[in-house]
Amino acid sequence: MSSRLKLAGIVLLGSFALAACGGGGGGTATTEPPPTTTEPPAPTAAELALEAREAGEAVAMAGANAMKNAAKYVAMVDARSAKGSSMTASDNAQMVLDAESDLMTAISDAKAARDKAMAAKDGASEDDMASLDSAIEAADAGIKAAEANLRTVQTHVRTINFLGTTARGPAKIAEEVSAAVKAAFASTITRTDDAASAPMGAIMNDGAKIEAMTWAMIAGEDNVMKKRLGTIDTTGALTPGNAEVSVASLEGMTATDVTATTLTDGTIDADGGTTPGSYKGILGAVVCLGGSDGCKVTDGKLGAGWYFSPAAPTTLYDADPANAGMYKVATLYARYGYWLNYADAAATTPNGITLYSAAGATGTNTTIGNLNIGPDENGKEVTARYGGSAVGISVWDKRSGEFTANVNLTAKFGGTAATPAAMLSGYISGFSGHGANPAWRVTLTEAAITTGSFADGATAGGGAGGTWTGTAYGPAPVDHDGAAATANQNQRPEGFFGTFNANFADGMAAGAYATRAD
């Protein structure tokens, strides 16, 4: 090929390239037309009037609610009302400030709606003019009421933000509560096994590791509801009335789960029918709350409409080892808790802490004596481990509040057959709570429990030393040899309960605990 032909080929290719780009040869580029947008129609006078009227109603309600909330929460920022929680006190203080801010926004929105209605009067028809004037008047009335409430709210805001002439605010209030709780630690820490001395609102816990459960825990607390059915006596009989009882659905349950003499295949009860019965071994009333066809039993299963209400809602139950899926009244468990003390009903600053622990069931053996259960036949000590939980009050830096923690104990039953000896030791860890450091660990130094309990154990948490107590609880002693002249023999403890306090480099904690054998 000649050089002229090569050059022509190059030129030809170049012209194709220009055409593809829309250039050369006079080609015309095509472009999409811009999308058309339609402006929404301006609101009508009637719509603006409605908006102003509704804004007036809304701001009036907002003002009433803001005043109510501010008055409520301004009184809930001291240690007593916040139950020692610096976070709760701070949150309550913030609620007062939020009430002011939200109300000011509502007033501003109402004024904007009113002003739009006023502007719409220009050129409005006679009918629209009347409607707008009425709406503007309603909006002004709501705004006026809200502004009056705002002035009251702002007096509460000043209480939150200033103590006398000293600047305050939620963060400072949190520190005040924390300092008050810290002072209570330095005052008096009292230990008691008297539940009757617990004030309303005391923190009380039943069981250990949640093996002992209430009926609601067994049924599933999300499935439990309140109904005004009357009262249920200790036999499970229901007397109709207006009193509230707790109920849970029995739909799908079988005769194995629910026992009641009249609940057999083909049963259809009229609405409101009741019969004493039991739910998984728990005594109570089986109640028909009805439905379109009343309450049916088909193929041994209860239909919709059947409910159960316990005779004793607060009683604790254990799984029944002799009957799978059934429960029996718990007889071996401990109760534990704490509360802050106050000089009188008007005091807002605590003057001490009470720690509570005790056996939780009547007849529980806490006089285990010398724990005559070891050593073994070869004279070697026997070791047993116990686990459970603790609850209490703590201060961490400038924060305070309730904590929960895990408790692990080791009991050593040793000595000789003639002179047995038992020692208990362990640790508390897994602290959780606003006023607790998760890294805290309390060493419970070994203490002798030759009489079944002790009150002089020592704790170590990294700060000044603290103390702990422990009491064994378990079944009654048994006759081990059939000889009337020989004392019954104590059994290994079901668990231990007690109290403790500890100090750390960055805080302090005091609480009570309960454990069961692992």
Side-chain angles (χ1 to χ4, degrees):
M1 180 183 293
S2 70
S3 59
R4 177 179 292 181
L5 289 176
K6 289 180 183 178
L7 180 59
I10 292 171
V11 172
L12 183 62
L13 288 173
S15 65
F16 277 118
L18 286 172
C21 295
T28 304
T30 59
T31 58
E32 292 291 332
T36 58
T37 58
T38 303
E39 291 292 330
T44 65
E47 290 171 337
L48 291 171
L50 178 62
E51 181 181 340
R53 187 179 299 279
E54 290 179 342
E57 293 171 354
V59 76
M61 183 177 294
N65 289 338
M67 187 170 67
K68 179 181 177 180
N69 286 337
K72 173 184 176 181
Y73 289 106
V74 75
M76 297 172 62
V77 297
D78 59 83
R80 186 170 194 151
S81 61
K83 296 185 178 180
S85 169
S86 59
M87 173 182 278
T88 299
S90 175
D91 288 347
N92 289 343
Q94 188 61 49
M95 288 291 287
V96 180
L97 304 186
D98 289 346
E100 178 194 36
S101 176
D102 292 346
L103 181 51
M104 291 176 70
T105 298
I107 291 172
S108 177
D109 291 345
K111 287 181 176 179
R114 179 203 59 191
D115 292 346
K116 287 180 183 178
M118 292 180 68
K121 291 173 64 177
D122 291 339
S125 68
E126 185 174 338
D127 288 343
D128 285 342
M129 185 72 74
S131 177
L132 289 167
D133 282 339
S134 176
I136 291 167
E137 184 178 346
D140 279 334
I143 293 167
K144 183 178 179 180
E147 288 177 333
N149 287 334
L150 177 61
R151 289 190 288 272
T152 301
V153 170
Q154 288 172 334
T155 63
H156 298 316
V157 169
R158 286 192 289 274
T159 300
I160 294 298
N161 285 334
F162 295 95
L163 184 61
T165 58
T166 304
R168 213 174 176 212
K172 180 64 176 177
I173 286 172
E175 291 181 15
E176 291 171 6
V177 170
S178 177
V181 174
K182 186 175 182 179
F185 273 87
S187 182
T188 305
I189 296 180
T190 305
R191 291 170 166 85
T192 184
D193 60 0
D194 179 17
S197 64
M200 184 69 70
I203 306 300
M204 306 291 283
N205 291 266
D206 289 316
K209 297 176 68 177
I210 317 300
E211 277 114 350
M213 296 183 287
T214 63
W215 161 79
M217 294 167 67
I218 294 168
E221 292 177 336
D222 290 342
N223 300 322
V224 175
M225 65 189 78
K226 293 285 189 179
K227 292 287 185 180
R228 292 190 178 276
L229 301 180
T231 58
I232 299 174
D233 65 21
T234 56
T235 69
L238 184 145
T239 301
N242 195 42
E244 277 193 342
V245 296
S246 297
V247 299
S249 174
L250 295 176
E251 183 177 6
M253 294 290 179
T254 66
T256 304
D257 302 311
V258 181
T259 59
T261 55
T262 63
L263 301 182
T264 57
D265 275 6
T267 296
I268 300 180
D269 237 356
D271 290 359
T274 66
T275 179
S278 68
Y279 165 80
K280 296 187 176 182
I282 301 166
L283 183 66
V286 177
V287 185
C288 172
L289 296 185
S292 58
D293 297 318
C295 300
K296 294 183 179 180
V297 180
T298 305
D299 295 331
K301 292 186 178 181
L302 279 68
W306 285 114
Y307 286 78
F308 176 80
S309 186
T314 60
T315 295
L316 292 183
Y317 298 88
D318 275 326
D320 186 350
N323 297 286
M326 305 297 278
Y327 293 82
K328 62 179 183 177
V329 174
T331 57
L332 292 176
Y333 64 94
R335 302 188 72 201
Y336 57 107
Y338 77 95
W339 56 87
L340 293 171
N341 301 319
Y342 297 87
D344 53 54
T348 57
T349 301
N351 62 358
I353 301 168
T354 293
L355 306 177
Y356 165 81
S357 63
T362 302
T364 298
N365 180 25
T366 57
T367 58
I368 295 182
N370 60 8
L371 299 172
N372 187 17
I373 59 171
D376 66 14
E377 64 275 10
N378 298 316
K380 295 181 179 180
E381 70 179 19
V382 177
T383 298
R385 300 189 184 279
Y386 298 82
S389 54
V391 66
I393 190 83
S394 58
V395 176
W396 177 25
D397 192 22
K398 295 181 179 180
R399 298 185 288 183
S400 64
E402 181 184 330
F403 72 81
T404 58
N406 302 320
V407 183
N408 291 275
L409 302 178
T410 299
K412 296 177 181 178
F413 305 110
T416 65
T419 310
M423 306 294 289
L424 189 67
S425 61
Y427 63 91
I428 300 174
S429 61
F431 281 84
S432 178
H434 176 70
N437 186 342
W440 283 347
R441 181 185 172 98
V442 180
T443 298
L444 307 171
T445 58
E446 199 167 60
I449 47 175
T450 54
T451 60
S453 65
F454 61 88
D456 55 357
T459 65
T467 60
W468 72 299
T469 69
T471 298
Y473 70 96
V478 299
D479 184 352
H480 62 291
D481 58 6
T486 305
N488 288 347
Q489 188 177 59
N490 279 301
Q491 304 302 293
R492 179 170 295 182
E494 173 74 11
F496 292 87
F497 60 81
T499 62
F500 76 97
N501 66 284
N503 298 292
F504 312 94
D506 55 354
M508 55 199 68
Y513 70 89
T515 64
R516 274 185 160 181
D518 285 344

